[in-house]
Amino acid sequence: MSHLSLSCRDLPGGVLITVTGELDATNAHELESYAESHRRPGPGMVLDLGGLIFLDSRGLHVLLRLQSAVGGQGGLLRVAGVQGRPARILQITGVWSVLTIYPDAQQAAVAMCAHDADGAQKPS
C-alpha cells in the first residue's frame, strides 16, 4: 500500500487540505473520504499537492469528482503546488486545463478568500 498523508486547516471561506506521498488506486478513496468529511459550503477548497510525488488514474478521478462536488455547492476547487510527475500526468491527460491550478497554496488561499479565481496557473 502506498503512503498518503493528509492534513486539513480551516481558512476564511473554505479549507486547505495538504496531500503528501502517493495518490493511487490503493488509497485514492482516503483522499476522497477525507476531503468530503472536511468540505463545507462556500467558496471552496484548496488541495495543496506540493508534497505529492505520484498520481495515477484513480487519483485523477478523485480530483475531478472533488471538483464537481465543490462546484455543486457553489465553490471552486483550487489545486496548488502540483509539480514533477503529478504535474506531467495532469498535463498529458488534459486534466490540468480543467482544474484551477495555482503555483502554491498561499496564492490559492488568497484567491479563495477573495472569491477570485484570477491568477490561476496555466500549463507551460
Side-chain angles (χ1 to χ4, degrees):
M1 184 176 220
S2 301
H3 176 71
L4 180 69
S5 177
L6 304 167
S7 64
C8 183
R9 187 176 72 172
D10 286 333
L11 297 173
V15 296
L16 167 65
I17 296 177
T18 302
V19 182
T20 58
E22 300 178 3
L23 181 58
D24 60 27
T26 67
N27 59 24
H29 65 281
E30 290 177 40
L31 172 58
E32 190 163 19
S33 294
Y34 188 86
E36 286 295 324
S37 71
H38 289 87
R39 186 166 54 90
R40 60 183 191 200
M45 175 184 292
V46 174
L47 283 182
D48 180 359
L49 302 184
L52 191 67
I53 59 172
F54 180 78
L55 174 70
D56 74 0
S57 62
R58 290 289 283 279
L60 289 173
H61 287 123
V62 167
L63 294 178
L64 293 171
R65 283 194 300 270
L66 287 174
Q67 178 185 37
S68 178
V70 172
Q73 287 190 316
L76 179 65
L77 175 69
R78 293 166 173 88
V79 178
V82 63
Q83 56 192 339
R85 183 171 287 167
R88 183 72 179 127
I89 291 169
L90 290 176
Q91 291 168 356
I92 62 175
T93 59
V95 174
W96 183 283
S97 63
V98 175
L99 298 174
T100 303
I101 300 181
Y102 291 81
D104 58 47
Q106 181 178 358
Q107 290 180 41
V110 167
M112 182 175 63
C113 294
H115 311 290
D116 180 12
D118 290 343
Q121 184 177 350
K122 300 297 179 201
S124 18

